[in-house]
Amino acid sequence: MTLPARHKIEYTREKRWRCPAHLAWVRKFKCCVPGCDGMPIEAAHVRSGTGGGVGMKPGDDWVISLCQKHHQDQHAFGEYEFEIYHRIDMKALAQEFFAKSPHRMKKRRAA
């Protein structure tokens, strides 16, 4: 049975912003976990509440600096538990990184 056109659902994947220069800039900072001096630093994508779907990596405008250990913990424990345990707001941190990034204007040009 074929559904009438008004009942068909279209799934579209929003094009995510990619910016290797922004990721490199974020990796120049210390780990966002208070008191951590761990290395190496990785640009960790924040998934919760950033508009991406399940299994979809968000755009590079949603990254924070985490050491390798804390980046692994973010994925192993889940973002909600990670934020509570370390008393940080990853989404707010990602917004702050993006707002201060020298590469943020590239997003507007790409749109």
Side-chain angles (χ1 to χ4, degrees):
M1 178 175 142
T2 304
L3 293 174
R6 69 178 189 274
H7 293 291
K8 288 187 179 178
I9 300 171
E10 287 189 36
Y11 295 94
T12 59
R13 183 175 180 149
E14 188 176 317
K15 186 176 179 181
R16 71 182 189 98
W17 182 65
R18 294 183 178 188
C19 185
H22 176 67
L23 298 178
W25 179 79
V26 169
R27 286 191 294 268
K28 291 179 182 179
F29 292 85
K30 290 176 61 175
C31 181
C32 285
V33 173
C36 180
D37 292 322
M39 296 291 278
I41 297 298
E42 300 177 349
H45 287 84
V46 180
R47 296 171 188 261
S48 297
T50 58
V54 174
M56 292 174 53
K57 184 183 278 189
D60 291 345
D61 46 333
W62 291 105
V63 295
I64 63 172
S65 58
L66 290 178
C67 70
Q68 189 174 45
K69 179 199 176 303
H70 284 123
H71 192 184
Q72 290 172 347
D73 289 349
Q74 172 202 10
H75 292 292
F77 303 124
E79 291 183 358
Y80 179 74
E81 289 81 6
F82 184 83
E83 287 181 312
I84 290 172
Y85 184 78
H86 292 292
R87 297 180 180 168
I88 61 173
D89 182 340
M90 293 190 303
K91 188 174 173 185
L93 288 168
Q95 289 172 327
E96 186 176 353
F97 271 111
F98 183 70
K100 294 179 179 178
S101 173
H103 308 286
R104 70 184 179 282
M105 296 308 287
K106 293 176 184 178
K107 183 174 181 180
R108 289 192 181 153
R109 283 186 240 136

